[in-house]
């Protein structure tokens, strides 16, 4: 049984931890920027710090190995890298640093088959996207959007005015989408087996629906987004790009995939899907987070954090509990639904018109 003094001391230690929790993400970001996971991976085995430093791209002839030592010490503590120390315990012998099951997710991701979170990590920790987090207090006191308070324009206007930000955002979202879709296709083959045509509503450049069609070639894929977006989209085998406004109407198909929007926008899109749905057999497939605030699953904590990411970066986006999904589905004309859990951050929600 802990004493009051021990409980208080533990509380102090926890606050110190949360106070500096940003240091973890900054240290990981540094390792990715220096391409340390790739350096070790290309070496085909553990390396000394001097070997790693010598291989860092664009480094000077005398990189700061002492600084690198301190960064790697924390990352070893966090299990991002493994430290292979000499068996004799000698201080004079060289410690070698290797990859772990965490750092393999930080490889650069060159090639379509490489699953990586590195671009997403760099994106979320960029000053442009961390700045809105400092505006949460203002948002609570005054209302308004965190991104606008930090930068002036809302995020999509900022994207349109900043090519570098647009490229960074696309890379980050594409890598996350690739991971989710691999899990969706693997776990949802039965659900996709009966689908002959599929529309990705707001599908951007079509990467998501292309991944589904590649795995399920019997499906006719339609990538639906604004005309200026699909005009820049690359050609994907089996995918037709269609331009339009999802708040006005959506193309006819057997099924639609949706992503996160405000409640009001979700209902508008769902109603348009309901109008276009076949009399029998049609469904909407939602690939998104289903929050479990009291849950202890692998991704439940991350889901709550991502809901705050929506506050920081979007105009009205949010993550939802099952009851919140149930409400907007019913308002959108889909009184029946099923939540399918998959080994991923997201779940699949099948929504039926009757």
């Amino acid at each position: 049984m802990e004493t009051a003094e021990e409980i208080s001391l533990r509380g102090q230690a926890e606050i110190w931890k949360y106070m500096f929790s940003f240091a973890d993400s900054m240290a990981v970001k540094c390792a990715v920027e220096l391409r340390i996971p790739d350096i070790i991976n290309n070496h085909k085995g553990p390396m000394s710090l001097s070997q790693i430093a010598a291989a860092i791209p664009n480094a000077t002839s005398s990189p700061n190995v002492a600084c690198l030592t301190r960064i790697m010490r924390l990352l070893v503590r966090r299990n991002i890298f493994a430290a292979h120390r000499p068996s004799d315990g000698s201080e004079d012998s060289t410690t070698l640093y290797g990859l772990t099951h965490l750092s393999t997710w930080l490889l650069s991701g060159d090639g379509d088959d490489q699953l990586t979170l590195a671009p997403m990590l760099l994106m979320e920790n960029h000053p442009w996207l961390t700045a809105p987090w400092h505006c949460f207090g203002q948002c609570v006191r005054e209302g308004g959007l965190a991104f606008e308070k930090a930068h002036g324009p809302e995020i999509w206007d900022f994207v349109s005015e900043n090519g570098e930000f647009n490229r960074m955002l696309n890379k980050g979202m594409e890598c996350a989408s690739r991971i989710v879709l691999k899990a969706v296709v693997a776990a949802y083959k039965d659900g996709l087996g009966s689908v002959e045509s599929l529309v990705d509503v707001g599908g951007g450049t079509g990467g998501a629906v292309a991944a589904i069609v590649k795995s399920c070639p019997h499906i006719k894929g339609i990538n639906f987004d604004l005309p200026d977006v699909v005009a820049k989209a690359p050609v994907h085998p089996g995918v037709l790009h269609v331009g339009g406004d999802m708040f006005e109407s959506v193309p006819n198909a057997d099924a639609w995939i949706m992503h996160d929007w405000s409640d009001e926008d979700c209902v508008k899109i769902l109603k348009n899907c309901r109008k276009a749905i076949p009399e029998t057999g049609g469904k909407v497939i939602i690939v998104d987070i289903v929050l479990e605030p009291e849950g202890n699953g692998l991704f439940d904590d991350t889901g709550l954090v991502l809901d705050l990411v929506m506050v920081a970066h979007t105009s009205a986006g949010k993550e939802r509990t099952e009851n919140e999904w149930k409400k907007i589905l019913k308002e959108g004309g889909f009184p029946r639904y099923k939540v399918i859990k998959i080994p991923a951050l997201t779940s699949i929600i099948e929504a039926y018109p009757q």
Side-chain angles (χ1 to χ4, degrees), residues 274-304:
R274 180 64 185 88
K275 291 174 186 175
I277 210 163
E279 288 300 319
T280 57
K283 60 185 174 184
V284 168
I285 303 164
I286 300 171
V287 180
D288 214 329
I289 290 172
V290 178
L291 286 180
E292 295 192 34
E294 307 300 325
N296 57 4
L298 274 178
F299 298 105
D300 287 338
D301 192 71
T302 305
L304 296 177

Side-chain angles (χ1 to χ4, degrees), residues 69 87 136 181-183 191 200 229 252 306-307 329:
T69 301
S87 58
F136 276 19
L181 283 169
K182 183 176 181 180
D200 188 354
V229 175
N252 293 325
L306 282 171
D307 187 41
L329 287 169

Side-chain angles (χ1 to χ4, degrees), residues 89-107:
S90 169
E91 291 291 334
D92 296 328
S93 300
T94 301
T95 298
L96 302 180
Y97 295 85
L99 300 181
T100 67
H101 64 289
L102 277 70
S103 44
T104 54
W105 285 96
L106 300 175
L107 297 171

Side-chain angles (χ1 to χ4, degrees), residues 119-306:
M120 186 78 167
L121 186 139
L122 293 176
M123 179 191 85
E124 291 293 350
N125 287 283
H126 193 283
W128 285 328
L129 287 180
T130 56
W133 291 84
H134 295 278
C135 301
F136 276 19
Q138 277 182 274
C139 291
V140 172
R141 285 192 296 266
E142 307 163 1
L145 302 176
F147 197 92
E148 286 185 353
K149 289 181 183 298
H151 297 295
E154 65 95 28
I155 190 166
W156 298 116
D157 290 335
F158 192 79
V159 166
S160 67
E161 297 165 1
N162 188 321
E164 182 184 351
F165 182 70
N166 188 19
R167 287 187 292 274
M168 181 181 68
L169 192 71
N170 286 336
K171 285 183 179 179
M173 301 310 293
E174 284 169 7
C175 83
S177 178
R178 188 178 297 129
I179 291 168
V180 168
L181 283 169
K182 183 176 181 180
V184 168
V185 170
Y188 192 56
K189 281 194 175 292
D190 290 344
L192 294 171
S194 60
V195 173
E196 295 183 2
S197 55
L198 176 71
V199 178
D200 188 354
V201 179
T205 56
V209 70
I212 292 174
V213 170
K214 183 178 180 180
S215 179
C216 305
H218 68 279
I219 294 177
K220 174 189 174 185
I222 300 172
N223 177 52
F224 182 64
D225 212 312
L226 294 170
D228 63 317
V229 175
V230 297
K232 302 172 185 175
V235 174
H236 298 292
V239 175
L240 174 66
H241 294 295
V242 176
D245 184 346
M246 68 187 77
F247 298 110
E248 296 294 330
S249 65
V250 298
N252 293 325
D254 296 320
W256 293 260
I257 286 186
M258 283 178 45
H259 307 283
D260 54 330
W261 295 89
S262 70
D263 288 351
E264 183 181 29
D265 287 343
C266 273
V267 170
K268 287 179 183 177
I269 298 167
L270 285 165
K271 285 181 176 179
N272 285 330
C273 290
R274 180 64 185 88
K275 291 174 186 175
I277 210 163
E279 288 300 319
T280 57
K283 60 185 174 184
V284 168
I285 303 164
I286 300 171
V287 180
D288 214 329
I289 290 172
V290 178
L291 286 180
E292 295 192 34
E294 307 300 325
N296 57 4
L298 274 178
F299 298 105
D300 287 338
D301 192 71
T302 305
L304 296 177
V305 173
L306 282 171

Side-chain angles (χ1 to χ4, degrees), residues 63-77:
N64 191 335
V65 178
C67 180
L68 179 60
T69 301
R70 294 158 72 179
I71 292 167
M72 292 295 283
R73 181 168 57 192
L74 177 65
L75 294 178
V76 168
R77 173 86 174 190

